[in-house]
């Protein structure tokens, strides 16, 4: 295989990986919007859980949306932002157990947190791998 073909293949693989990370960031942003909206949907939430969903959901929506916006405009994924969103996702998994808020909101928060932590963690990992030039495993 010639050098130009190898370079073209690498560019195509990186473009595909960038596109995947972009759409994953957009999806995480939508999950953050759901966490925010869920504060208004579930009326059995405690006040602490309500404000947690409003603040953390809005933060996830904005930060993951920022990553989506960056990648839409041709920039690399912000590894720090994706890592912070993953931490917020872990918090969303933990908070229902800490607050002991039982009900439909409990499972909504846990499942949303798992989705956010998993996808944002992957985005941070893959973005870091792309920055260092290591081959990305998709």
């Amino acid at each position: 295989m010639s050098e130009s073909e190898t370079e073209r293949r690498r560019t195509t693989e990186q473009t595909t990986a960038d596109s995947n990370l972009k759409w994953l960031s957009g999806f995480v942003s939508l999950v953050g919007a759901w966490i925010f909206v869920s504060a208004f949907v579930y009326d059995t939430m405690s006040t602490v859980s309500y404000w947690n969903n409003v603040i953390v959901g809005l933060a996830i929506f904005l930060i993951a949306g920022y990553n989506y916006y960056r990648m839409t405009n041709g920039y690399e994924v912000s590894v720090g932002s994706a890592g912070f969103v993953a931490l917020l996702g872990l918090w969303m998994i933990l908070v229902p157990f800490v607050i002991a808020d039982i009900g439909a909101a409990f499972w909504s928060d846990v499942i949303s947190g798992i989705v956010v932590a998993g996808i944002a963690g992957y985005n941070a990992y893959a973005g870091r791998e792309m920055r260092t030039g290591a081959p990305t495993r998709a």
Side-chain angles (χ1 to χ4, degrees):
M1 187 178 321
S2 71
E3 189 174 314
S4 64
E5 287 177 26
T6 305
E7 184 63 34
R8 198 170 338 128
R9 175 176 282 166
R10 238 183 250 141
T11 303
T12 303
E13 288 173 359
Q14 186 168 1
T15 303
T16 303
D18 286 345
S19 177
N20 291 341
L21 293 180
K22 176 179 74 172
W23 291 114
L24 288 174
S25 288
F27 180 70
V28 169
S29 183
L30 291 176
V31 174
W34 163 248
I35 293 169
F36 175 80
V37 169
S38 72
F40 304 101
V41 171
Y42 299 114
D43 56 350
T44 59
M45 271 187 179
S46 67
T47 304
V48 174
S49 187
Y50 170 84
W51 283 108
N52 179 71
N53 280 23
V54 167
I55 293 167
V56 175
L58 188 60
I60 291 171
F61 172 72
L62 292 174
I63 297 168
Y66 164 75
N67 247 347
Y68 175 79
Y69 174 78
R70 277 180 57 93
M71 289 185 277
T72 299
N73 289 315
Y75 296 101
E76 292 179 342
V77 63
S78 172
V79 175
S81 296
F84 183 63
V85 169
L87 289 175
L88 290 174
L90 291 174
W91 171 250
M92 286 305 299
I93 296 169
L94 252 171
V95 79
F97 296 100
V98 172
I99 296 173
D101 200 7
I102 306 298
F106 177 92
W107 290 110
S108 175
D109 287 351
V110 170
I111 292 169
S112 296
I114 290 169
V115 169
V116 167
I119 295 174
Y122 172 76
N123 271 0
Y125 171 77
R128 186 180 151 279
E129 290 292 317
M130 288 172 57
R131 241 183 222 177
T132 60
T136 305
R137 293 178 213 112

